[in-house]
Amino acid sequence: MITALGGGVGAAKFLEGLSVCISDEQLNVIVNTADDITYCGLRISPDIDTIIYRLSGNIDRKKGWGIEGDSFSCLGALGSLGMETWFNVGDRDFATHLFRTDMRIKGCTASQITSELSARYGVPKNIKVMPMTDTDVETWIVTTEGEMHFQEYLVRRKMSPEVTKVVIRNIEEAEPSPSLLESINESRAVILCPSNPIISIGPILQVRGVKKALVNSNTKIIAISPLIGGVPLKGPADRLMRGVGLEVSSTQVARLYRDFLDIMVIDFHDAHELDEIKALGIDSVALDTLMSDPGKAAELARNLLDLI
Amino acid sequence: MITALGGGVGAAKFLEGLSVCISDEQLNVIVNTADDITYCGLRISPDIDTIIYRLSGNIDRKKGWGIEGDSFSCLGALGSLGMETWFNVGDRDFATHLFRTDMRIKGCTASQITSELSARYGVPKNIKVMPMTDTDVETWIVTTEGEMHFQEYLVRRKMSPEVTKVVIRNIEEAEPSPSLLESINESRAVILCPSNPIISIGPILQVRGVKKALVNSNTKIIAISPLIGGVPLKGPADRLMRGVGLEVSSTQVARLYRDFLDIMVIDFHDAHELDEIKALGIDSVALDTLMSDPGKAAELARNLLDLI
């Protein structure tokens, strides 16, 4: 059994590669839910959905999120009605959010809903996608232009306002989802996917008991830096790290995980950081982490499994 | 100023005809909202939407409801996820329900939402579409196969279970929407559209103060029977009337309105009922009430205006 922690697009790409390599081993994926947002009453879990769509072969590969071949008639009509439409939801994608909202109204937990969606979209049976918590939490970004939901900062404002603080609302109430801690304890390895350390991995580590379980675990814990050549491929990792006063480097990512991390995988473009990371007491390896196609993602996953 | 009371498809057709005849007079349309239903957390007001779509030129004329040219990708995806999809919502139609739900969450009333939707879809400015009440009410049908929401009876079960009772849930709490009673009192005529007397006009008459306002009003009150040749063109008026122990006839419809009705318009196929209706103390006229196209609807409206 392997446990992976991750956020959206980058984690999904890596997990698709990993799924090819471990078709007969149980893989539990603990997914950030702090990106979740409510839109017109519908609860949307972007990271969960991105991972389910990817692992079930439904992902729009070009965009890295959403459903392949989806149409946008509903969103277009919302725009005609004068609604804000910066959150790009396709017609078929809306069905996921309607399904989730319907189950929430019926009293189901995020874990139950994620499990149902995984099965119905066709995620391989050896892979269990789990929300980090069944408690609603939301990432809000404090910027020089005001405080806004993370999705508003990311999608609507295109990461332009200067970040001064990241607040994970309600995270102090967040209990780990059922069997999350057991999964960490019973796995032969825990992989931190190449996800944003502040708003994807960060919230998972703040869920009650998760960091402690990682610190106390005898499991091999390995992380993949989301930075290539010192910058994120996409997304706001650099802006958020800088915004909360951190250096933007894979070494800094390793520092965030130093209490429990065994191996830090960085891109070979950042090989000059290897010694600095080793000086933290963390084994460090440089690999090609650019997952430009599923084959390269699988190759990265295979290399990672070799390290474990 | 004219006030019209009505439900969905039949009322919408008539109102489209009426709108052609009174382009410079204020028309207030008081619409049944007891057909409303919540689907996956979204609040749907079928009668309101049918009337707005029709009066703004967006209606699917072939079906009589929904938006012309709409696609059904979201509903198809919901079906793939194993959800019940008997309530046929198109992708653009979903936008209306998302808009309504979003405004409800923001604390807006049904009146405010209806007013916004009317404006944004482009209902002519001299027509004000009003929900009968801002209170949520719902029609439930008691049948020999159990109690079900009216939409489930109508759409999912295709009116097949035998009706024994009609219950308008929460109707005792329903206050008339703002300016509804004033509209009745200040109009030169009140028209009861050719709508189902049990589940379209019936709930409106049960809203607090509405029947009393009609009884006490000096306004000319005129109704159009929804029956042609003794049966409804479409819909369950006959089954519901029979189910609650009533005779199925335009005379019986007139009896339901006898406390306030001045003129009953029936179809010329039912002219044999004229004397019976007149014996109730209600003036009665037979016209061609089959609105097979907008021209015929306008002709019916013109004839009605002549009677007033």
Side-chain angles (χ1 to χ4, degrees):
Chain A
M1 182 160 79
I2 293 174
T3 297
L5 277 57
V9 179
K13 281 187 183 178
F14 171 74
L15 291 165
E16 184 183 35
L18 186 60
S19 73
V20 174
C21 306
I22 56 150
S23 57
D24 50 3
E25 186 172 3
Q26 175 70 29
L27 170 62
N28 296 333
V29 183
I30 299 166
V31 184
N32 170 47
T33 54
D35 281 16
D36 291 10
I37 189 166
T38 297
Y39 177 64
C40 297
L42 301 184
R43 191 66 175 172
I44 303 182
S45 289
D47 285 355
I48 295 266
D49 293 347
T50 296
I51 285 173
I52 288 178
Y53 293 165
R54 173 72 71 166
L55 291 176
S56 63
N58 287 291
I59 198 85
D60 182 326
R61 293 190 175 276
K62 209 166 164 188
K63 289 192 298 202
W65 49 265
I67 294 177
E68 176 68 29
D70 208 352
S71 52
F72 289 81
S73 297
C74 182
L75 199 75
L78 281 167
S80 299
L81 289 174
M83 295 283 287
E84 293 197 354
T85 56
W86 51 265
F87 201 67
N88 293 301
V89 181
D91 296 322
R92 288 163 62 194
D93 199 12
F94 263 121
T96 303
H97 316 319
L98 287 162
F99 182 94
R100 171 176 292 112
T101 303
D102 188 55
M103 283 192 75
R104 280 168 68 94
I105 291 168
K106 288 172 177 151
C108 297
T109 63
S111 298
Q112 291 165 333
I113 297 165
T114 303
S115 168
E116 283 298 322
L117 281 172
S118 297
R120 291 172 194 221
Y121 271 109
V123 170
K125 288 193 194 311
N126 65 312
I127 305 178
K128 186 177 178 187
V129 182
M130 307 158 67
M132 64 184 196
T133 178
D134 285 337
T135 308
D136 286 350
V137 296
E138 281 192 359
T139 300
W140 283 67
I141 308 294
V142 185
T143 77
T144 50
E145 298 169 36
E147 193 171 354
M148 59 194 78
H149 189 286
F150 171 68
Q151 298 296 347
E152 185 174 355
Y153 165 76
L154 180 75
V155 183
R156 186 186 188 196
R157 304 298 305 274
K158 300 191 193 329
M159 309 181 279
S160 78
E162 197 186 324
V163 177
T164 57
K165 201 177 165 190
V166 174
V167 180
I168 319 288
R169 290 193 183 169
N170 208 37
I171 191 71
E172 61 286 355
E173 298 297 327
E175 296 284 347
S177 61
S179 77
L180 188 159
L181 299 180
E182 292 84 333
S183 181
I184 289 174
N185 289 326
E186 293 165 18
S187 288
R188 69 180 176 101
V190 174
I191 300 171
L192 277 65
C193 294
S195 295
N196 189 309
I198 308 296
I199 49 85
S200 296
I201 304 292
I204 303 176
L205 299 180
Q206 289 177 63
V207 171
R208 194 170 302 156
V210 172
K211 194 171 176 185
K212 195 174 159 198
L214 291 169
V215 169
N216 294 340
S217 148
N218 296 318
T219 310
K220 181 88 84 179
I221 303 177
I222 186 165
I224 307 159
S225 172
L227 304 179
I228 296 183
V231 292
L233 195 64
K234 213 180 140 180
D238 50 345
R239 293 162 204 250
L240 293 175
M241 291 179 78
R242 207 176 293 121
V244 299
L246 298 175
E247 173 194 297
V248 182
S249 70
S250 290
T251 307
Q252 181 57 58
V253 177
R255 256 184 227 119
L256 293 171
Y257 305 152
R258 71 187 297 176
D259 292 345
F260 53 79
L261 194 63
D262 297 305
I263 307 172
M264 183 78 193
V265 172
I266 63 174
D267 191 77
F268 62 73
H269 285 94
D270 302 309
H272 58 276
E273 295 189 49
L274 286 172
D275 288 340
E276 204 178 348
I277 295 170
K278 283 174 186 161
L280 297 170
I282 299 166
D283 199 8
S284 186
V285 181
L287 293 173
D288 180 1
T289 67
L290 182 68
M291 298 175 288
S292 44
D293 59 54
K296 287 198 71 186
E299 193 188 320
L300 174 61
R302 214 168 292 118
N303 287 329
L304 215 79
L305 291 173
D306 288 344
L307 290 172
I308 300 168
Chain B
M1 184 160 78
I2 293 175
T3 297
L5 275 57
V9 178
K13 280 187 183 178
F14 172 74
L15 291 165
E16 185 183 32
L18 186 60
S19 73
V20 174
C21 307
I22 57 150
S23 58
D24 50 2
E25 185 171 2
Q26 175 71 28
L27 170 62
N28 295 334
V29 183
I30 298 167
V31 184
N32 170 47
T33 54
D35 282 13
D36 291 11
I37 190 167
T38 297
Y39 178 65
C40 298
L42 300 185
R43 190 68 176 171
I44 304 182
S45 288
D47 285 355
I48 295 267
D49 293 347
T50 296
I51 286 174
I52 288 178
Y53 293 165
R54 174 72 71 166
L55 292 176
S56 63
N58 288 290
I59 198 83
D60 182 325
R61 293 190 175 276
K62 210 166 162 189
K63 291 192 299 201
W65 47 267
I67 295 177
E68 175 68 29
D70 208 351
S71 52
F72 289 82
S73 298
C74 182
L75 199 74
L78 282 166
S80 299
L81 289 174
M83 296 282 287
E84 293 195 357
T85 55
W86 50 266
F87 201 69
N88 293 299
V89 181
D91 296 322
R92 288 162 63 195
D93 199 12
F94 263 122
T96 303
H97 316 319
L98 288 161
F99 183 93
R100 170 176 295 112
T101 304
D102 189 56
M103 282 192 78
R104 277 168 70 94
I105 292 168
K106 288 173 176 152
C108 297
T109 63
S111 298
Q112 292 165 333
I113 296 165
T114 302
S115 167
E116 283 298 322
L117 281 170
S118 297
R120 291 171 196 222
Y121 272 109
V123 170
K125 289 194 195 310
N126 64 312
I127 304 178
K128 186 176 179 188
V129 182
M130 305 159 68
M132 64 185 195
T133 178
D134 286 337
T135 307
D136 286 351
V137 295
E138 281 192 0
T139 300
W140 282 67
I141 308 294
V142 185
T143 77
T144 50
E145 298 169 37
E147 193 172 353
M148 58 194 80
H149 189 285
F150 170 68
Q151 298 296 347
E152 186 175 353
Y153 165 77
L154 179 75
V155 184
R156 187 186 187 197
R157 304 297 306 273
K158 301 192 193 327
M159 311 181 278
S160 78
E162 197 186 322
V163 177
T164 57
K165 201 178 165 190
V166 174
V167 180
I168 318 289
R169 289 193 183 169
N170 208 37
I171 192 71
E172 61 285 357
E173 299 297 327
E175 296 284 345
S177 62
S179 77
L180 187 160
L181 300 181
E182 292 84 332
S183 181
I184 289 176
N185 289 325
E186 292 165 16
S187 287
R188 68 179 176 104
V190 174
I191 301 171
L192 277 64
C193 294
S195 295
N196 190 308
I198 308 295
I199 48 85
S200 295
I201 303 292
I204 303 176
L205 299 180
Q206 290 176 64
V207 170
R208 193 171 304 157
V210 171
K211 194 170 176 188
K212 194 173 161 198
L214 291 170
V215 170
N216 294 339
S217 146
N218 296 318
T219 310
K220 181 90 84 177
I221 303 178
I222 185 163
I224 308 159
S225 171
L227 305 179
I228 296 184
V231 292
L233 195 64
K234 212 180 140 180
D238 50 346
R239 294 161 203 253
L240 294 175
M241 289 179 80
R242 207 175 294 123
V244 300
L246 298 176
E247 171 195 301
V248 182
S249 69
S250 289
T251 306
Q252 180 59 58
V253 176
R255 258 184 226 118
L256 293 171
Y257 306 152
R258 71 187 299 176
D259 292 346
F260 53 79
L261 193 64
D262 296 306
I263 307 173
M264 183 77 195
V265 172
I266 63 175
D267 191 77
F268 62 74
H269 287 94
D270 302 309
H272 57 277
E273 294 189 49
L274 286 172
D275 288 341
E276 205 178 349
I277 296 170
K278 281 175 187 160
L280 297 170
I282 300 166
D283 199 7
S284 186
V285 181
L287 294 173
D288 180 3
T289 67
L290 183 68
M291 299 175 286
S292 44
D293 60 54
K296 287 198 69 186
E299 193 187 321
L300 174 60
R302 214 168 292 118
N303 287 330
L304 216 81
L305 290 174
D306 288 344
L307 290 173
I308 301 167

